[in-house]
Amino acid sequence: MTSVTATKRSGPDDPHGGRSGPDGRGGRGGLGGRPRKAWRPGRPGPPRGKAFGDRAAWFLVLPALIPILILSVGPLLYGIALAFTDAQSGRTRSTQWIGTLNFQDLLHDTLFWDSFRIGLVWAVGVTVPQFLLALGLALLLNQNLRLRWLARALAIVPWAMPEVVVGIMWRLVYNPDAGILNETIRDLGLGDGRDWLTGLATALPAVILVGIWAGMPQTTVALLAGLQNTPRELHEAAALDGAGAWRRFRTVTWPAIRPIALAISALNLIWNVNSFALVYVLTSGGPGGRTRLPMLFAYEEAFRYGQFGYAAAMGCVMVAVISVLLALYLVGRLRGGEDR
């Protein structure tokens, strides 16, 4: 009886006793008299939980990442590799590695640099008027007008149409015999009209006009969203201070929509540099190469003349140009964020 009682009433120095230390708390004692944390079944440790979370995140990203790798990154890498070869059309023709020879030929290809110049004229000629007209339209649609909802719906119709459909429609408008543009000119007594898409002096301006019309709705919607997020209290306060319409626009409206304006303008410029379908349907690069954009030139080299390696080198140059424009845009956005 004495030994059993002594065992049940063991002191604090007994490692298997009922008390773990001088504080009198039960359980096995740890270092310095602190109780150890009890292990709970089914509770994973932090490293294992973090690894499981990382794997779950990758499983969620894979459905979107795999198509990008297959349909975008893969062809891009293949095109870059093709630019360093003499790949041409033909089943029996072997492909040889020629290094930078295609890029050296591009440096002396005046036709390519002419198309590059035309592409810059097209991109700037479409982006700048497109933004100015879209800004005016967005300011108009932001007013309390009757049937404003109908005007907003009609404003995005060109954006909803495929580029091929837009090109076919405007070819009918520019038709020299029965086009609505020439018919209007004749009815107004301004002349007999002209063939807008085949004239050396009118082809590029006519195509630029179509590009402005087709892309303006996207810019309008973006700017209108920025205008609607501008607090009306700021305009009312500026009006009470005696500010006119132009001063309110300069001090209130423009600072509010400036980030959106810069973003949509940069994206439109990148998109227009990379244009192909609209101009191809309208003129196919003619007349005399006056509307031959760089992407059209690369398309002709690849699928009309079978020079796949040379066309891939042109594509690499265009990818480099677009990457520079994108980098400038991202740097501007980051600096703008730091300034704010």
Side-chain angles (χ1 to χ4, degrees):
M1 292 292 294
T2 304
S3 61
V4 174
T5 304
T7 303
K8 290 182 179 181
R9 297 180 180 179
S10 57
D13 295 333
D14 189 352
H16 301 290
R19 287 181 291 180
S20 58
D23 54 359
R25 287 181 289 183
R28 293 189 177 183
L31 293 177
R34 288 184 172 181
R36 296 178 181 176
K37 292 184 178 180
W39 175 79
R40 299 178 182 177
R43 180 181 179 182
R48 185 178 178 183
K50 185 177 184 300
F52 178 78
D54 292 342
R55 287 196 298 269
W58 276 109
F59 280 124
L60 294 175
V61 171
L62 280 179
L65 186 61
I66 290 176
I68 294 176
L69 293 175
I70 296 176
L71 302 177
S72 297
V73 179
L76 176 62
L77 296 178
Y78 178 73
I80 293 174
L82 201 66
F84 295 91
T85 67
D86 62 347
Q88 298 181 12
S89 61
R91 291 179 178 271
T92 60
R93 183 174 180 81
S94 60
T95 300
Q96 303 294 330
W97 183 269
I98 60 173
T100 61
L101 185 59
N102 287 328
F103 296 95
Q104 296 175 18
D105 293 340
L106 276 180
L107 292 176
H108 304 91
D109 192 342
T110 56
L111 292 178
F112 173 74
W113 292 112
D114 285 342
S115 70
F116 195 82
R117 176 183 57 80
I118 293 171
L120 291 179
V121 172
W122 152 267
V124 176
V126 171
T127 303
V128 175
Q130 188 180 89
F131 172 77
L132 296 177
L133 293 174
L135 178 60
L137 184 58
L139 291 171
L140 180 63
L141 295 178
N142 195 43
Q143 304 299 319
N144 292 323
L145 304 176
R146 294 182 61 185
L147 300 178
R148 183 175 59 176
W149 62 271
L150 180 60
R152 290 179 177 178
L154 294 176
I156 64 173
V157 169
W159 188 22
M161 299 172 63
E163 288 188 324
V164 174
V165 176
V166 172
I168 295 173
M169 183 186 71
W170 276 90
R171 286 193 65 174
L172 296 176
V173 172
Y174 286 135
N175 187 280
D177 298 323
I180 187 174
L181 181 58
N182 282 341
E183 288 291 337
T184 303
I185 292 175
R186 295 188 189 101
D187 292 340
L188 295 176
L190 300 177
D192 296 332
R194 58 195 309 171
D195 196 346
W196 300 94
L197 294 177
T198 59
L200 295 177
T202 59
L204 186 58
V207 172
I208 288 176
L209 179 62
V210 179
I212 294 171
W213 182 84
M216 193 171 65
Q218 179 182 2
T219 309
T220 302
V221 171
L223 294 176
L224 183 59
L227 291 173
Q228 290 179 339
N229 289 329
T230 304
R232 292 189 176 273
E233 292 79 6
L234 298 178
H235 290 278
E236 295 173 357
L240 290 175
D241 291 339
W246 169 247
R247 187 178 177 184
R248 289 199 304 271
F249 173 80
R250 185 169 53 87
T251 59
V252 178
T253 304
W254 178 248
I257 66 171
R258 182 175 178 271
I260 298 176
L262 295 178
I264 195 65
S265 298
L267 294 177
N268 283 339
L269 182 62
I270 294 172
W271 176 261
N272 290 325
V273 168
N274 205 27
S275 293
F276 173 80
L278 184 62
V279 181
Y280 180 78
V281 174
L282 285 170
T283 63
S284 297
R290 295 300 177 93
T291 60
R292 185 190 289 131
L293 304 183
M295 291 303 175
L296 278 172
F297 193 30
Y299 171 82
E300 291 179 353
E301 289 293 324
F303 299 103
R304 181 176 294 181
Y305 305 113
Q307 302 293 330
F308 295 130
Y310 194 56
M314 295 181 187
C316 289
V317 173
M318 295 307 301
V319 168
V321 171
I322 294 172
S323 300
V324 170
L325 293 176
L326 184 60
L328 292 176
Y329 163 69
L330 293 176
V331 169
R333 291 289 293 174
L334 291 175
R335 288 182 178 177
E338 291 176 357
D339 294 340
R340 291 192 298 271

